[in-house]
Amino acid sequence: MPSFKSHVVSFVLRYSRKKAFSSPENLQRWIAAARKTEDHHPPASLQQRLDIQTRTVDGFPVYEIAPRAGEYKRILYLHGGAYVFEITPYHWRLIADMADRLGYGITVPIYPIAPEHDFHAMFGMVGDVYRQMLDETEAEDIIFMGDSAGGNMAVVLTMMAAEEGLPLPSRHVLISPGVDMSLSNPKLFEAERNDPWLGIPGGLEAIRLYSAGIDRSDWHISPVYGDLSVLPKTLLLTGSRDLLTPDNLVFAEKARAAGAEVDVVHEQGMFHVWPLFDMPESRRARQHIVAFLNESPSPIRQDRKTRFEAPSAEAAE
């Protein structure tokens, strides 16, 4: 049974954040309001207890949380926010908890977001971040972790790296990822009614703003339609009250059929990206993540050697 606190969080979301996704116009208004208050810096309390350094890649900040002494693994964390909202203190608290409990170094790119930027700028920047990580760390010691839009980016970045012939990360942790941005699954309409946060009209607007004219069914936007055989061992966390869950379950089955190893945590009563919030279900989800990342590594397959180029808007039409 969902906790009392989860019901409170769900209630607050339904009567606040849900409004942002109720229409394209509302999403645009929320973006405009967010730009006046967003701050990508880690909260002061985290900066005091963690060794956090900042650098820039392609003109955008990248935060580096130093690993514990003797630890060599690194996480590339890609934050959610529908491609249009900045990283939040909720993301930072999850990141700090992972740094404390795992001791891994964590790289957090503050990647360019829409509508000021688009798919090409986003993946150009995070792709460069990953290449720099590979210069310093073996791929078998790199994990991609992302929530919501960041989960989508983790999968797409792996597929793009595979086509470029780059070494691939050893694991994925995907928290409520957006894997099918076509939003065409008929089960989504019922899921939307049960979701206290996300809505289809605002979601489609967010995708339009960032997708650079690429078709929503192209794997660069919807990785469920890509080559899932390149995925590393994956932990996917999704909740029964999340608009994206029907597609997440399809994604897991398709990935398994393609030969990928996917563990699914399907939490009853939980909404979108619930592990970011401080409540009993979140603590349980984070324990799943820690246990998954502390397992012995799986063999890495590096057999993709073709060169990748992102599609142009003209080619996608």
Side-chain angles (χ1 to χ4, degrees):
M1 178 180 296
S3 67
F4 174 74
K5 189 163 187 179
S6 76
H7 285 294
V8 172
V9 175
S10 178
F11 178 85
V12 172
L13 289 171
R14 183 171 291 280
Y15 291 96
S16 59
R17 301 289 297 188
K18 181 86 171 180
K19 295 177 182 178
F21 291 93
S22 63
S23 70
E25 296 76 18
N26 272 4
L27 185 75
Q28 293 275 9
R29 282 193 285 269
W30 276 71
I31 293 170
R35 292 297 183 270
K36 300 175 182 178
T37 59
E38 288 173 321
D39 181 1
H40 60 71
H41 295 88
S45 60
L46 271 59
Q47 297 189 54
Q48 292 169 2
R49 66 185 176 87
L50 295 170
D51 181 359
I52 304 177
Q53 304 295 322
T54 312
R55 58 191 174 93
T56 60
V57 173
D58 299 347
F60 293 89
V62 178
Y63 291 96
E64 295 283 359
I65 299 177
R68 189 176 297 147
E71 183 55 72
Y72 48 84
K73 292 185 179 180
R74 292 176 67 183
I75 293 172
L76 174 62
Y77 192 94
L78 298 167
H79 72 83
Y83 314 99
V84 298
F85 296 114
E86 197 52 271
I87 193 170
T88 70
Y90 294 101
H91 295 105
W92 278 118
R93 285 192 281 270
L94 171 63
I95 290 165
D97 190 32
M98 293 296 103
D100 284 338
R101 297 173 68 176
L102 292 164
Y104 301 170
I106 304 183
T107 299
V108 186
I110 307 302
Y111 57 83
I113 54 178
E116 296 88 347
H117 307 279
D118 64 14
F119 171 94
H120 300 289
M122 291 179 195
F123 281 93
M125 188 266 188
V126 298
D128 286 344
V129 170
Y130 182 50
R131 290 181 187 88
Q132 291 182 15
M133 292 178 72
L134 288 171
D135 289 339
E136 305 162 350
T137 306
E138 295 293 333
E140 64 187 18
D141 295 323
I142 296 176
I143 297 119
F144 285 180
M145 182 183 301
D147 67 277
S148 193
N152 168 291
M153 293 178 70
V155 179
V156 172
L157 184 59
T158 294
M159 291 178 171
M160 292 172 71
E163 285 215 346
E164 192 172 337
L166 293 175
L168 305 184
S170 65
R171 297 208 172 193
H172 280 172
V173 175
L174 310 176
I175 303 170
S176 304
V179 292
D180 186 352
M181 296 293 90
S182 72
L183 299 184
S184 58
N185 186 339
K187 293 183 179 179
L188 297 189
F189 294 102
E190 180 179 356
E192 182 183 33
R193 288 193 293 271
N194 293 325
D195 189 317
W197 190 340
L198 301 181
I200 293 173
L204 289 174
E205 177 67 1
I207 297 159
R208 183 188 72 81
L209 292 173
Y210 103 96
S211 61
I214 304 169
D215 191 274
R216 295 198 310 269
S217 63
D218 187 296
W219 66 260
H220 298 88
I221 305 301
S222 297
V224 71
Y225 301 116
D227 180 5
L228 302 182
S229 70
V230 304
L231 299 184
K233 185 170 183 180
T234 296
L235 175 65
L236 190 156
L237 300 98
T238 195
S240 68
R241 298 184 65 199
D242 186 343
L243 169 65
L244 304 182
T245 289
D247 290 331
N248 282 333
L249 298 179
V250 170
F251 172 83
E253 287 306 308
K254 289 186 68 173
R256 288 167 179 158
E261 190 174 350
V262 182
D263 297 339
V264 175
V265 174
H266 184 195
E267 186 80 12
Q268 290 301 310
M270 286 301 99
F271 44 82
H272 190 60
V273 298
W274 83 96
L276 270 65
F277 297 91
D278 180 17
M279 55 191 194
E281 294 85 356
S282 171
R283 292 188 284 275
R284 184 161 61 241
R286 294 182 187 192
Q287 186 53 44
H288 279 297
I289 295 171
V290 170
F292 174 76
L293 294 180
N294 277 331
E295 291 176 355
S296 298
S298 300
I300 307 297
R301 292 170 296 169
Q302 303 292 356
D303 55 0
R304 299 296 301 275
K305 297 299 180 183
T306 56
R307 180 74 187 178
F308 166 78
E309 293 183 1
S312 65
E314 292 80 6
E317 290 176 352

